[in-house]
Amino acid sequence: MGVSRIFKDESLLDLSYVPPRLPRREEELRILRSMFEPILRKPGSVAPRAVVTGGIGSGKTALTQRFGIDFEKEARARGLNFKCIHVNCQILRGSFFMILVETVRRIIPGFPRRGFGANELLDSLLELLEDENLYVLLILDDADSLLVKEGSTPVYALTRVYESKPEMPRRLFPVFVLRDPGLMRDLNHATLSYLRGSIVKLRKYGLDDMIEVLEYRASLALRSGSYLDRTIRLIADMAAPMGDARYAIELLYRAGKYAEADESPVIMPEHVRKAYQSLEYYPGLTEALRSLSKHEKLFLLAVARCLERESEEAYVTMGEVEGLYRVLCESYGEKPRAHTQLWKYMRNLSFLSLLTVNPSGRGRRGRTTYMGLNVAASYLSKVLSKMLEGV
Ligand SMILES: Nc1ncnc2c1ncn2[C@@H]1O[C@H](COP(=O)(O)OP(=O)(O)OP(=O)(O)O)[C@@H](O)[C@H]1O
Ligand SMILES: [Mg+2]
């Protein structure tokens, strides 16, 4: 035990980690920079905006975060009071109001959420930027949910915010991150014409892209000599049809874990195959999880942890889950919800296919409700813990 022979630093394969470089997305990074560069030259007099679209795992979040971090640094080096704010619309359930509250709170923590409507809040945000002499690049990640829930209005409001205030310095620059570019069609004409020239479309990663992305991420996180070219190639082959870099990185991570478990100094293709087998591809999983409330997440995490602990069991009982749920609530500083509420969570999670419910509990004694999972418990528990820690 002790030092890993495979990983240099496994946290560098975390899904929330933003790597210093993004191979195969350099061009898009340059395009984004050139779109926003006028802010550096003429602060206050220009209001660039962007729409970034691409499929699942095409690097939208990584790209916009990398760009935001770098651009903020560059702007600050030039003496601008500049902040990049990244909000996830899906987590905020697509509510424009909640998105604005979250944005303001990143500037003034603890800002109260009552007493405003979305329009007043947007005006307050503009005033706040003025008072603080602050410029904000606002990344609206997973904006699909915002468009679905609220239609054109918020996009219209954010892109044309300065139209009726010609004398006001331009300080708010939105970046809409969309998975489904088709949603743009539902925007009204005026908004669309405003955005048309600002779209950055991420093409799907192909085999060569996957190989390069994987080689880079492996070089960051793994010990040299702990992986073979053909291992990387095999992972790329498996992930290329979906073009999903998240899946590729997850495979690499898991294969590394299997190699560790085998006490092998090298990740072999067989470890990749095991990882592939264990990681059933479920592209909707992350979104489904993100849409859950905090307590639903805690509840599901309790199920996952119970099953992880009892890896031979197919099902766990409500009683076992509830016990662990209470422990988790305590460690996350949350007040546990009542028993009846947990039943509602269970039904909703089962409706979302995140849980399987087996009332007869075949295969185990007693009469109670049993819950099982379709996804590997360890995987679910990792993803959920990360989400609950707010990353
Ligand atoms: N070009 C790249 N180089 C290195 N890592 C990458 C690259 N593109 C994506 N990744 C990594 O792949 C994973 C998935 O990328 P990301 O989360 O940005 O995708 P996404 O398009 O936002 O997906 P979703 O639609 O599910 O939100 C992340 O861990 C990210 O760091
Ligand atoms: Mg994303």
Side-chain angles (χ1 to χ4, degrees):
M1 280 289 98
V3 185
S4 167
R5 294 157 88 183
I6 301 290
F7 296 101
K8 230 170 7 194
D9 182 351
E10 63 179 270
S11 74
L12 302 188
L13 290 178
D14 271 6
L15 294 177
S16 56
Y17 172 72
V18 184
R21 279 201 310 114
L22 292 172
R24 303 284 166 146
R25 290 297 184 220
E26 285 107 346
E27 174 75 14
E28 288 81 359
L29 267 175
R30 271 198 298 277
I31 292 172
L32 279 175
R33 191 186 169 281
S34 73
M35 285 163 74
F36 288 89
E37 197 261 348
I39 301 171
L40 304 176
R41 278 186 287 117
K42 296 177 280 180
S45 58
V46 287
R49 67 237 144 225
V51 178
V52 174
T53 72
I56 291 178
S58 62
K60 300 181 293 299
T61 300
L63 175 74
T64 50
Q65 285 194 326
R66 185 71 268 155
F67 169 67
I69 295 167
D70 294 347
F71 197 76
E72 177 181 296
K73 203 176 282 169
E74 193 178 353
R76 285 178 169 267
R78 300 222 193 171
L80 276 190
N81 186 17
F82 192 98
K83 195 174 169 70
C84 168
I85 297 180
H86 181 271
V87 292
N88 187 294
C89 303
Q90 171 99 35
I91 291 176
L92 299 165
R93 302 199 166 209
S95 150
F96 188 37
F97 175 74
M98 287 307 294
I99 290 164
L100 289 170
V101 171
E102 181 61 25
T103 306
V104 175
R105 281 186 181 165
R106 299 286 181 86
I107 304 168
I108 308 181
F111 181 84
R113 72 152 86 169
R114 287 183 200 290
F116 296 99
N119 290 333
E120 289 140 291
L121 203 50
L122 184 54
D123 283 338
S124 315
L125 173 61
L126 296 182
E127 275 168 36
L128 178 62
L129 299 184
E130 199 53 39
D131 291 347
E132 308 260 317
N133 182 26
L134 180 64
Y135 297 83
V136 164
L137 180 79
L138 179 59
I139 300 172
L140 298 127
D141 204 348
D142 291 332
D144 302 59
S145 57
L146 174 66
L147 266 74
V148 168
K149 183 159 193 285
E150 311 232 10
S152 285
T153 319
V155 184
Y156 186 82
L158 283 170
T159 45
R160 318 202 77 168
V161 71
Y162 291 110
E163 205 121 291
S164 57
K165 306 175 174 72
E167 74 302 334
M168 212 177 185
R170 275 65 174 144
R171 295 179 177 279
L172 184 64
F173 317 113
V175 177
F176 301 93
V177 179
L178 280 181
R179 193 173 297 150
D180 177 8
L183 286 169
M184 302 269 297
R185 276 197 303 269
D186 301 334
L187 294 174
N188 60 36
H189 242 68
T191 313
L192 204 54
S193 75
Y194 233 70
L195 290 172
R196 197 164 279 132
S198 322
I199 301 173
V200 179
K201 194 170 180 317
L202 303 188
R203 58 176 174 75
K204 193 175 155 194
Y205 286 130
L207 182 61
D208 290 347
D209 302 317
M210 282 295 179
I211 292 174
E212 197 167 322
V213 167
L214 279 163
E215 273 171 353
Y216 174 59
R217 298 300 295 261
S219 75
L220 291 180
L222 304 181
R223 297 195 182 282
S224 62
S226 72
Y227 54 98
L228 311 167
D229 284 349
R230 59 176 184 278
T231 311
I232 297 285
R233 169 61 201 251
L234 181 60
I235 299 177
D237 278 337
M238 289 168 172
M242 280 79 81
D244 180 347
R246 183 182 299 112
Y247 180 56
I249 291 169
E250 194 62 32
L251 278 173
L252 179 64
Y253 173 77
R254 289 206 152 207
K257 284 290 172 194
Y258 280 115
E260 265 187 347
D262 268 1
E263 294 179 17
S264 160
V266 179
I267 306 176
M268 306 300 280
E270 180 64 7
H271 299 127
V272 175
R273 286 189 288 272
K274 272 194 192 165
Y276 180 75
Q277 207 180 353
S278 73
L279 200 81
E280 209 175 313
Y281 186 65
Y282 185 175
L285 182 63
T286 316
E287 294 107 88
L289 293 178
R290 276 191 196 139
S291 74
L292 302 177
S293 71
K294 188 158 197 183
H295 280 266
E296 283 169 330
K297 288 193 188 108
L298 286 166
F299 182 81
L300 188 59
L301 179 59
V303 177
R305 291 263 173 92
C306 283
L307 283 166
E308 232 180 335
R309 225 161 39 186
E310 302 188 37
S311 56
E312 291 133 56
E313 293 293 350
Y315 294 99
V316 283
T317 66
M318 181 57 122
E320 288 164 329
V321 172
E322 187 165 357
L324 192 56
Y325 162 79
R326 289 174 178 280
V327 175
L328 287 172
C329 281
E330 197 174 312
S331 68
Y332 282 94
E334 291 286 320
K335 193 167 166 283
R337 298 288 189 262
H339 188 69
T340 45
Q341 190 64 41
L342 300 187
W343 284 92
K344 288 187 193 151
Y345 293 160
M346 184 184 79
R347 269 197 295 275
N348 185 43
L349 292 168
S350 145
F351 172 74
L352 290 170
S353 303
L354 292 168
L355 271 187
T356 50
V357 176
N358 179 355
S360 70
R362 265 192 312 175
R364 284 189 68 162
R365 279 171 290 124
R367 272 180 50 219
T368 174
T369 298
Y370 293 91
M371 286 167 269
L373 290 175
N374 304 322
V375 192
S378 54
Y379 178 70
L380 195 59
S381 124
K382 200 172 117 219
V383 176
L384 278 170
S385 317
K386 210 170 291 169
M387 284 184 179
L388 284 161
E389 272 135 41
V391 284

Short mmCIF file of all heavy atoms in Angstrom, two decimals, residues 261-313:
data_model
loop_
_atom_site.label_atom_id
_atom_site.label_comp_id
_atom_site.label_asym_id
_atom_site.label_seq_id
_atom_site.Cartn_x
_atom_site.Cartn_y
_atom_site.Cartn_z
N ALA A 261 -5.62 -2.43 -8.18
CA ALA A 261 -6.17 -3.54 -7.44
C ALA A 261 -5.43 -4.84 -7.76
O ALA A 261 -5.28 -5.71 -6.91
CB ALA A 261 -7.66 -3.68 -7.74
N ASP A 262 -4.97 -4.94 -9.01
CA ASP A 262 -4.21 -6.12 -9.43
C ASP A 262 -2.74 -6.03 -9.04
O ASP A 262 -1.97 -6.93 -9.36
CB ASP A 262 -4.23 -6.21 -10.97
CG ASP A 262 -5.36 -7.07 -11.47
OD1 ASP A 262 -6.13 -7.55 -10.63
OD2 ASP A 262 -5.48 -7.23 -12.70
N GLU A 263 -2.38 -4.93 -8.42
CA GLU A 263 -0.99 -4.64 -8.09
C GLU A 263 -0.10 -4.71 -9.33
O GLU A 263 1.06 -5.13 -9.28
CB GLU A 263 -0.49 -5.57 -6.98
CG GLU A 263 -1.23 -5.29 -5.69
CD GLU A 263 -0.80 -6.18 -4.55
OE1 GLU A 263 0.28 -6.79 -4.65
OE2 GLU A 263 -1.55 -6.26 -3.57
N SER A 264 -0.67 -4.31 -10.44
CA SER A 264 0.09 -4.26 -11.69
C SER A 264 0.74 -2.88 -11.81
O SER A 264 0.09 -1.88 -11.51
CB SER A 264 -0.86 -4.51 -12.86
OG SER A 264 -0.29 -4.05 -14.06
N PRO A 265 1.99 -2.81 -12.24
CA PRO A 265 2.63 -1.50 -12.38
C PRO A 265 2.18 -0.78 -13.66
O PRO A 265 2.50 0.39 -13.86
CB PRO A 265 4.12 -1.83 -12.45
CG PRO A 265 4.19 -3.22 -12.97
CD PRO A 265 2.92 -3.92 -12.53
N VAL A 266 1.45 -1.49 -14.51
CA VAL A 266 1.05 -0.92 -15.80
C VAL A 266 -0.45 -1.18 -16.01
O VAL A 266 -0.95 -2.24 -15.66
CB VAL A 266 1.86 -1.60 -16.95
CG1 VAL A 266 1.44 -1.03 -18.30
CG2 VAL A 266 3.35 -1.43 -16.73
N ILE A 267 -1.13 -0.20 -16.59
CA ILE A 267 -2.54 -0.41 -16.96
C ILE A 267 -2.56 -1.21 -18.25
O ILE A 267 -2.07 -0.77 -19.28
CB ILE A 267 -3.28 0.93 -17.18
CG1 ILE A 267 -3.13 1.84 -15.98
CG2 ILE A 267 -4.76 0.68 -17.48
CD1 ILE A 267 -3.76 3.22 -16.17
N MET A 268 -3.11 -2.40 -18.17
CA MET A 268 -3.15 -3.27 -19.33
C MET A 268 -4.51 -3.17 -20.01
O MET A 268 -5.50 -2.79 -19.38
CB MET A 268 -2.93 -4.73 -18.91
CG MET A 268 -1.68 -4.97 -18.09
SD MET A 268 -0.19 -4.49 -18.98
CE MET A 268 0.00 -5.94 -20.01
N PRO A 269 -4.58 -3.54 -21.30
CA PRO A 269 -5.88 -3.52 -21.98
C PRO A 269 -6.97 -4.28 -21.21
O PRO A 269 -8.12 -3.85 -21.21
CB PRO A 269 -5.57 -4.19 -23.32
CG PRO A 269 -4.15 -3.82 -23.58
CD PRO A 269 -3.48 -3.86 -22.23
N GLU A 270 -6.59 -5.34 -20.52
CA GLU A 270 -7.61 -6.08 -19.77
C GLU A 270 -8.23 -5.20 -18.68
O GLU A 270 -9.43 -5.32 -18.39
CB GLU A 270 -6.99 -7.35 -19.16
CG GLU A 270 -7.94 -8.21 -18.35
CD GLU A 270 -9.09 -8.81 -19.17
OE1 GLU A 270 -9.10 -8.68 -20.40
OE2 GLU A 270 -10.00 -9.40 -18.55
N HIS A 271 -7.45 -4.32 -18.09
CA HIS A 271 -8.01 -3.41 -17.08
C HIS A 271 -9.00 -2.45 -17.72
O HIS A 271 -10.00 -2.08 -17.12
CB HIS A 271 -6.88 -2.64 -16.38
CG HIS A 271 -5.93 -3.52 -15.65
ND1 HIS A 271 -4.56 -3.46 -15.83
CD2 HIS A 271 -6.13 -4.52 -14.75
CE1 HIS A 271 -3.97 -4.36 -15.07
NE2 HIS A 271 -4.92 -5.03 -14.41
N VAL A 272 -8.72 -2.07 -18.95
CA VAL A 272 -9.64 -1.18 -19.67
C VAL A 272 -10.94 -1.92 -19.96
O VAL A 272 -12.03 -1.38 -19.79
CB VAL A 272 -9.00 -0.69 -20.99
CG1 VAL A 272 -10.01 0.13 -21.79
CG2 VAL A 272 -7.74 0.11 -20.71
N ARG A 273 -10.81 -3.15 -20.37
CA ARG A 273 -12.02 -3.94 -20.65
C ARG A 273 -12.87 -4.10 -19.40
O ARG A 273 -14.09 -4.01 -19.44
CB ARG A 273 -11.65 -5.30 -21.25
CG ARG A 273 -11.19 -5.20 -22.70
CD ARG A 273 -11.02 -6.57 -23.33
NE ARG A 273 -9.85 -7.28 -22.81
CZ ARG A 273 -8.62 -7.17 -23.33
NH1 ARG A 273 -8.40 -6.39 -24.37
NH2 ARG A 273 -7.62 -7.83 -22.81
N LYS A 274 -12.20 -4.33 -18.29
CA LYS A 274 -12.95 -4.43 -17.03
C LYS A 274 -13.67 -3.12 -16.73
O LYS A 274 -14.83 -3.11 -16.30
CB LYS A 274 -11.99 -4.72 -15.87
CG LYS A 274 -11.72 -6.18 -15.63
CD LYS A 274 -11.05 -6.30 -14.26
CE LYS A 274 -10.47 -7.68 -14.07
NZ LYS A 274 -9.54 -7.72 -12.94
N ALA A 275 -12.95 -2.03 -16.94
CA ALA A 275 -13.54 -0.71 -16.68
C ALA A 275 -14.75 -0.50 -17.58
O ALA A 275 -15.80 -0.03 -17.15
CB ALA A 275 -12.50 0.39 -16.90
N TYR A 276 -14.59 -0.89 -18.83
CA TYR A 276 -15.66 -0.73 -19.80
C TYR A 276 -16.90 -1.50 -19.37
O TYR A 276 -18.02 -1.02 -19.42
CB TYR A 276 -15.17 -1.22 -21.16
CG TYR A 276 -16.17 -1.13 -22.28
CD1 TYR A 276 -16.47 0.09 -22.85
CD2 TYR A 276 -16.80 -2.27 -22.77
CE1 TYR A 276 -17.38 0.19 -23.89
CE2 TYR A 276 -17.71 -2.19 -23.81
CZ TYR A 276 -17.99 -0.95 -24.37
OH TYR A 276 -18.88 -0.87 -25.39
N GLN A 277 -16.63 -2.69 -18.92
CA GLN A 277 -17.72 -3.56 -18.48
C GLN A 277 -18.43 -2.97 -17.26
O GLN A 277 -19.65 -3.05 -17.13
CB GLN A 277 -17.14 -4.91 -18.14
CG GLN A 277 -18.11 -6.04 -18.31
CD GLN A 277 -17.43 -7.35 -17.95
OE1 GLN A 277 -16.22 -7.42 -17.70
NE2 GLN A 277 -18.22 -8.41 -17.93
N SER A 278 -17.63 -2.40 -16.37
CA SER A 278 -18.21 -1.92 -15.12
C SER A 278 -18.94 -0.60 -15.29
O SER A 278 -19.77 -0.22 -14.49
CB SER A 278 -17.11 -1.74 -14.08
OG SER A 278 -16.36 -0.59 -14.39
N LEU A 279 -18.57 0.11 -16.33
CA LEU A 279 -19.09 1.46 -16.48
C LEU A 279 -20.13 1.47 -17.58
O LEU A 279 -19.85 1.82 -18.70
CB LEU A 279 -17.93 2.39 -16.85
CG LEU A 279 -18.16 3.85 -16.59
CD1 LEU A 279 -17.89 4.16 -15.13
CD2 LEU A 279 -17.23 4.69 -17.44
N GLU A 280 -21.30 1.10 -17.22
CA GLU A 280 -22.34 1.08 -18.22
C GLU A 280 -22.56 2.50 -18.70
O GLU A 280 -22.69 3.41 -17.89
CB GLU A 280 -23.62 0.55 -17.60
CG GLU A 280 -24.49 -0.14 -18.60
CD GLU A 280 -25.69 -0.77 -17.92
OE1 GLU A 280 -25.50 -1.43 -16.89
OE2 GLU A 280 -26.78 -0.56 -18.42
N TYR A 281 -22.57 2.69 -19.99
CA TYR A 281 -22.68 4.04 -20.50
C TYR A 281 -24.10 4.56 -20.31
O TYR A 281 -25.06 3.97 -20.76
CB TYR A 281 -22.30 4.09 -21.99
CG TYR A 281 -22.25 5.49 -22.51
CD1 TYR A 281 -21.30 6.39 -22.03
CD2 TYR A 281 -23.15 5.95 -23.46
CE1 TYR A 281 -21.24 7.69 -22.48
CE2 TYR A 281 -23.10 7.25 -23.92
CZ TYR A 281 -22.14 8.10 -23.43
OH TYR A 281 -22.10 9.40 -23.88
N TYR A 282 -24.20 5.66 -19.64
CA TYR A 282 -25.49 6.20 -19.29
C TYR A 282 -25.42 7.71 -19.44
O TYR A 282 -25.18 8.44 -18.48
CB TYR A 282 -25.80 5.81 -17.83
CG TYR A 282 -27.17 6.19 -17.31
CD1 TYR A 282 -27.58 5.80 -16.05
CD2 TYR A 282 -28.05 6.94 -18.07
CE1 TYR A 282 -28.81 6.14 -15.55
CE2 TYR A 282 -29.28 7.29 -17.59
CZ TYR A 282 -29.65 6.89 -16.33
OH TYR A 282 -30.87 7.25 -15.83
N PRO A 283 -25.57 8.20 -20.67
CA PRO A 283 -25.29 9.60 -20.94
C PRO A 283 -26.19 10.58 -20.19
O PRO A 283 -25.81 11.70 -19.94
CB PRO A 283 -25.48 9.75 -22.46
CG PRO A 283 -26.20 8.54 -22.90
CD PRO A 283 -25.98 7.47 -21.89
N GLY A 284 -27.39 10.14 -19.80
CA GLY A 284 -28.27 11.08 -19.12
C GLY A 284 -28.02 11.17 -17.63
O GLY A 284 -28.66 11.95 -16.93
N LEU A 285 -27.07 10.36 -17.14
CA LEU A 285 -26.93 10.24 -15.69
C LEU A 285 -26.63 11.56 -14.99
O LEU A 285 -27.30 11.93 -14.03
CB LEU A 285 -25.85 9.21 -15.36
CG LEU A 285 -25.63 8.95 -13.87
CD1 LEU A 285 -26.86 8.35 -13.24
CD2 LEU A 285 -24.44 8.04 -13.63
N THR A 286 -25.62 12.27 -15.51
CA THR A 286 -25.21 13.49 -14.83
C THR A 286 -26.36 14.49 -14.74
O THR A 286 -26.59 15.08 -13.69
CB THR A 286 -24.01 14.12 -15.54
OG1 THR A 286 -23.11 13.08 -15.85
CG2 THR A 286 -23.32 15.13 -14.67
N GLU A 287 -27.08 14.64 -15.85
CA GLU A 287 -28.18 15.61 -15.80
C GLU A 287 -29.26 15.17 -14.83
O GLU A 287 -29.80 15.97 -14.09
CB GLU A 287 -28.90 15.78 -17.14
CG GLU A 287 -28.10 16.36 -18.21
CD GLU A 287 -27.77 15.28 -19.18
OE1 GLU A 287 -28.57 15.04 -20.08
OE2 GLU A 287 -26.73 14.62 -18.99
N ALA A 288 -29.59 13.88 -14.89
CA ALA A 288 -30.62 13.40 -13.99
C ALA A 288 -30.21 13.69 -12.55
O ALA A 288 -31.01 14.17 -11.75
CB ALA A 288 -30.85 11.91 -14.20
N LEU A 289 -28.94 13.46 -12.24
CA LEU A 289 -28.47 13.70 -10.88
C LEU A 289 -28.50 15.18 -10.52
O LEU A 289 -28.88 15.56 -9.42
CB LEU A 289 -27.06 13.15 -10.70
CG LEU A 289 -26.93 11.63 -10.79
CD1 LEU A 289 -25.48 11.22 -10.65
CD2 LEU A 289 -27.76 10.95 -9.72
N ARG A 290 -28.12 16.00 -11.50
CA ARG A 290 -28.09 17.44 -11.21
C ARG A 290 -29.46 17.99 -10.92
O ARG A 290 -29.60 18.99 -10.23
CB ARG A 290 -27.52 18.19 -12.41
CG ARG A 290 -26.02 18.21 -12.41
CD ARG A 290 -25.55 19.18 -13.46
NE ARG A 290 -24.15 18.95 -13.73
CZ ARG A 290 -23.61 18.98 -14.94
NH1 ARG A 290 -24.36 19.24 -15.98
NH2 ARG A 290 -22.33 18.77 -15.10
N SER A 291 -30.48 17.37 -11.50
CA SER A 291 -31.83 17.91 -11.33
C SER A 291 -32.39 17.57 -9.95
O SER A 291 -33.46 18.06 -9.59
CB SER A 291 -32.75 17.37 -12.42
OG SER A 291 -33.05 16.02 -12.14
N LEU A 292 -31.69 16.76 -9.19
CA LEU A 292 -32.22 16.36 -7.88
C LEU A 292 -32.04 17.46 -6.84
O LEU A 292 -31.08 18.22 -6.90
CB LEU A 292 -31.50 15.10 -7.39
CG LEU A 292 -31.56 13.88 -8.29
CD1 LEU A 292 -30.74 12.76 -7.67
CD2 LEU A 292 -32.99 13.43 -8.52
N SER A 293 -32.93 17.49 -5.87
CA SER A 293 -32.76 18.41 -4.76
C SER A 293 -31.64 17.87 -3.86
O SER A 293 -31.23 16.71 -3.99
CB SER A 293 -34.05 18.52 -3.95
OG SER A 293 -34.27 17.32 -3.24
N LYS A 294 -31.19 18.71 -2.95
CA LYS A 294 -30.07 18.31 -2.09
C LYS A 294 -30.41 17.04 -1.29
O LYS A 294 -29.59 16.12 -1.19
CB LYS A 294 -29.75 19.46 -1.14
CG LYS A 294 -28.51 19.22 -0.33
CD LYS A 294 -27.94 20.53 0.16
CE LYS A 294 -26.50 20.34 0.59
NZ LYS A 294 -25.91 21.54 1.13
N HIS A 295 -31.63 17.00 -0.78
CA HIS A 295 -31.98 15.84 0.05
C HIS A 295 -32.21 14.58 -0.77
O HIS A 295 -31.95 13.48 -0.30
CB HIS A 295 -33.16 16.17 0.97
CG HIS A 295 -32.70 16.94 2.18
ND1 HIS A 295 -32.39 16.33 3.36
CD2 HIS A 295 -32.42 18.25 2.32
CE1 HIS A 295 -31.96 17.24 4.22
NE2 HIS A 295 -31.97 18.42 3.62
N GLU A 296 -32.68 14.76 -2.01
CA GLU A 296 -32.76 13.58 -2.88
C GLU A 296 -31.37 13.04 -3.14
O GLU A 296 -31.15 11.82 -3.17
CB GLU A 296 -33.45 13.95 -4.20
CG GLU A 296 -34.97 14.06 -4.07
CD GLU A 296 -35.61 14.68 -5.30
OE1 GLU A 296 -34.96 15.51 -5.98
OE2 GLU A 296 -36.77 14.35 -5.59
N LYS A 297 -30.42 13.95 -3.33
CA LYS A 297 -29.03 13.51 -3.55
C LYS A 297 -28.51 12.77 -2.32
O LYS A 297 -27.87 11.73 -2.43
CB LYS A 297 -28.13 14.71 -3.84
CG LYS A 297 -28.34 15.32 -5.21
CD LYS A 297 -27.21 16.27 -5.55
CE LYS A 297 -27.51 17.04 -6.82
NZ LYS A 297 -27.82 18.44 -6.61
N LEU A 298 -28.79 13.33 -1.15
CA LEU A 298 -28.32 12.69 0.08
C LEU A 298 -28.93 11.30 0.24
O LEU A 298 -28.26 10.35 0.63
CB LEU A 298 -28.67 13.57 1.29
CG LEU A 298 -27.81 14.82 1.46
CD1 LEU A 298 -28.44 15.80 2.45
CD2 LEU A 298 -26.39 14.46 1.91
N PHE A 299 -30.19 11.22 -0.12
CA PHE A 299 -30.89 9.94 -0.01
C PHE A 299 -30.28 8.91 -0.97
O PHE A 299 -29.96 7.78 -0.58
CB PHE A 299 -32.38 10.16 -0.31
CG PHE A 299 -33.21 8.91 -0.19
CD1 PHE A 299 -33.65 8.47 1.05
CD2 PHE A 299 -33.57 8.19 -1.32
CE1 PHE A 299 -34.42 7.32 1.17
CE2 PHE A 299 -34.34 7.04 -1.21
CZ PHE A 299 -34.76 6.60 0.04
N LEU A 300 -30.09 9.34 -2.21
CA LEU A 300 -29.52 8.43 -3.20
C LEU A 300 -28.08 8.06 -2.83
O LEU A 300 -27.65 6.91 -3.02
CB LEU A 300 -29.56 9.09 -4.59
CG LEU A 300 -29.18 8.21 -5.78
CD1 LEU A 300 -30.08 6.98 -5.89
CD2 LEU A 300 -29.25 9.01 -7.08
N LEU A 301 -27.36 9.02 -2.29
CA LEU A 301 -25.99 8.73 -1.83
C LEU A 301 -26.02 7.67 -0.74
O LEU A 301 -25.17 6.77 -0.70
CB LEU A 301 -25.31 10.02 -1.34
CG LEU A 301 -23.88 9.89 -0.80
CD1 LEU A 301 -22.95 9.32 -1.87
CD2 LEU A 301 -23.35 11.24 -0.32
N ALA A 302 -27.02 7.76 0.13
CA ALA A 302 -27.15 6.76 1.19
C ALA A 302 -27.37 5.37 0.59
O ALA A 302 -26.75 4.39 1.03
CB ALA A 302 -28.29 7.14 2.13
N VAL A 303 -28.23 5.30 -0.44
CA VAL A 303 -28.45 4.00 -1.09
C VAL A 303 -27.13 3.48 -1.67
O VAL A 303 -26.75 2.31 -1.47
CB VAL A 303 -29.49 4.13 -2.23
CG1 VAL A 303 -29.66 2.80 -2.95
CG2 VAL A 303 -30.83 4.62 -1.70
N ALA A 304 -26.43 4.37 -2.38
CA ALA A 304 -25.17 3.96 -3.02
C ALA A 304 -24.15 3.49 -1.98
O ALA A 304 -23.52 2.45 -2.16
CB ALA A 304 -24.61 5.11 -3.86
N ARG A 305 -24.04 4.22 -0.89
CA ARG A 305 -23.05 3.86 0.13
C ARG A 305 -23.41 2.53 0.80
O ARG A 305 -22.54 1.72 1.09
CB ARG A 305 -22.97 4.96 1.20
CG ARG A 305 -22.37 6.25 0.69
CD ARG A 305 -20.88 6.34 1.04
NE ARG A 305 -20.27 7.49 0.41
CZ ARG A 305 -20.16 8.69 0.99
NH1 ARG A 305 -20.59 8.89 2.22
NH2 ARG A 305 -19.60 9.70 0.35
N CYS A 306 -24.71 2.32 1.03
CA CYS A 306 -25.14 1.05 1.63
C CYS A 306 -24.74 -0.11 0.72
O CYS A 306 -24.22 -1.13 1.17
CB CYS A 306 -26.65 1.00 1.82
SG CYS A 306 -27.26 1.93 3.21
N LEU A 307 -25.01 0.07 -0.58
CA LEU A 307 -24.72 -1.03 -1.51
C LEU A 307 -23.23 -1.21 -1.70
O LEU A 307 -22.76 -2.32 -1.97
CB LEU A 307 -25.42 -0.78 -2.85
CG LEU A 307 -26.92 -1.08 -2.83
CD1 LEU A 307 -27.59 -0.51 -4.06
CD2 LEU A 307 -27.18 -2.59 -2.75
N GLU A 308 -22.50 -0.11 -1.58
CA GLU A 308 -21.06 -0.20 -1.70
C GLU A 308 -20.50 -1.04 -0.55
O GLU A 308 -19.60 -1.85 -0.71
CB GLU A 308 -20.48 1.21 -1.60
CG GLU A 308 -19.55 1.58 -2.71
CD GLU A 308 -19.03 3.00 -2.51
OE1 GLU A 308 -19.70 3.83 -1.84
OE2 GLU A 308 -17.95 3.27 -3.00
N ARG A 309 -21.07 -0.79 0.63
CA ARG A 309 -20.62 -1.48 1.83
C ARG A 309 -20.94 -2.96 1.76
O ARG A 309 -20.18 -3.81 2.20
CB ARG A 309 -21.33 -0.86 3.03
CG ARG A 309 -20.43 -0.58 4.18
CD ARG A 309 -20.99 0.41 5.15
NE ARG A 309 -22.41 0.29 5.42
CZ ARG A 309 -23.08 1.19 6.17
NH1 ARG A 309 -22.46 2.20 6.70
NH2 ARG A 309 -24.36 1.03 6.39
N GLU A 310 -22.13 -3.25 1.20
CA GLU A 310 -22.55 -4.64 1.09
C GLU A 310 -22.52 -5.03 -0.37
O GLU A 310 -23.56 -5.20 -0.99
CB GLU A 310 -23.96 -4.81 1.66
CG GLU A 310 -24.03 -4.38 3.09
CD GLU A 310 -25.38 -4.72 3.70
OE1 GLU A 310 -25.91 -5.79 3.37
OE2 GLU A 310 -25.87 -3.92 4.49
N SER A 311 -21.33 -5.18 -0.90
CA SER A 311 -21.21 -5.31 -2.35
C SER A 311 -21.81 -6.61 -2.88
O SER A 311 -22.06 -6.75 -4.06
CB SER A 311 -19.75 -5.18 -2.77
OG SER A 311 -18.99 -6.14 -2.07
N GLU A 312 -22.10 -7.57 -1.98
CA GLU A 312 -22.71 -8.80 -2.48
C GLU A 312 -24.23 -8.71 -2.54
O GLU A 312 -24.88 -9.55 -3.15
CB GLU A 312 -22.34 -10.01 -1.60
CG GLU A 312 -20.90 -10.40 -1.69
CD GLU A 312 -20.31 -10.61 -0.31
OE1 GLU A 312 -20.86 -11.43 0.45
OE2 GLU A 312 -19.34 -9.92 0.02
N GLU A 313 -24.77 -7.72 -1.86
CA GLU A 313 -26.23 -7.59 -1.84
C GLU A 313 -26.74 -6.90 -3.10
O GLU A 313 -26.11 -5.96 -3.58
CB GLU A 313 -26.68 -6.78 -0.62
CG GLU A 313 -26.44 -7.47 0.70
CD GLU A 313 -27.29 -8.73 0.89
OE1 GLU A 313 -28.20 -8.96 0.07
OE2 GLU A 313 -27.04 -9.47 1.85
#
